[in-house]
Amino acid sequence: MIMSDEIDFEDDEPPTFGRRPCVLVADDDDEIRAVVVAAMKCDGYNVLEARDGSEVLHVMATSTRPPDVIITDVRMPHVSGLTLIGGLRGEGCMTPIIVITAFAADQVGPIADRLGADSTFGKPFDIAKLRTAVMNVLRPNYGPRAFANTLPDRD
């Protein structure tokens, strides 16, 4: 299901600050995923889609240029959002992660925070606030994770 209609991940293309940031949206609910994808495309981001955490892990493992931010649901088949966050952070991944959940955000949020999520939104969520959260984690002054995956490797 991984879709990348606008993204060209060619090996010879160097990562630069001039490229459009890439947002990976993971949610097993097609309608919610479509709304988030449409909003991200409207904001000018390149967008990848995944139905579950295993597809996100596949993108992260095989891409020469990982996404700049991940938006993930919590409850998904195969690999849950919380398992995904823990696994990515355990591997040293610094990509900002935003969680959306149908569970009580006040209960899931602290767990997601401990695992390394950057923010949590309860469903239904305000799409404008989600868009702002994405913009904020991608700002150059956000900290060490801002565009962490776009920096060239240093020898």
Side-chain angles (χ1 to χ4, degrees):
M1 162 72 190
I2 301 167
M3 295 183 259
S4 59
D5 60 348
E6 297 181 20
I7 299 174
D8 184 12
F9 288 118
E10 298 206 11
D11 291 338
D12 59 344
E13 183 177 291
T16 66
F17 284 105
R19 71 173 177 82
R20 291 189 311 168
C22 177
V23 177
L24 175 54
V25 179
D27 198 312
D28 60 324
D29 184 315
D30 294 339
E31 291 177 19
I32 291 174
R33 192 176 63 250
V35 168
V36 175
V37 166
M40 296 299 110
K41 285 184 177 182
C42 182
D43 288 346
Y45 302 117
N46 287 319
V47 181
L48 294 172
E49 299 180 48
R51 280 192 224 125
D52 60 53
S54 63
E55 289 184 4
V56 172
L57 292 173
H58 176 75
V59 168
M60 299 302 285
T62 61
S63 177
T64 58
R65 190 174 64 207
D68 297 294
V69 64
I70 298 168
I71 300 171
T72 183
D73 187 16
V74 169
R75 188 173 185 185
M76 298 182 291
H78 308 295
V79 176
S80 75
L82 295 177
T83 301
L84 173 68
I85 296 165
L88 289 174
R89 294 297 187 243
E91 293 293 320
C93 175
M94 295 181 62
T95 301
I97 301 172
I98 297 171
V99 175
I100 53 177
T101 180
F103 296 108
D106 59 339
Q107 294 174 358
V108 172
I111 298 168
D113 288 347
R114 279 195 306 276
L115 291 171
D118 291 86
S119 59
T120 302
F121 290 86
K123 294 179 184 177
F125 53 88
D126 182 333
I127 194 70
K129 289 181 180 178
L130 179 63
R131 292 165 90 172
T132 299
V134 170
M135 181 182 65
N136 285 339
V137 297
L138 291 176
R139 290 173 48 199
N141 64 350
Y142 179 71
R145 287 198 280 199
F147 291 98
N149 295 316
T150 65
L151 299 174
D153 292 333
R154 302 205 193 279
D155 293 319

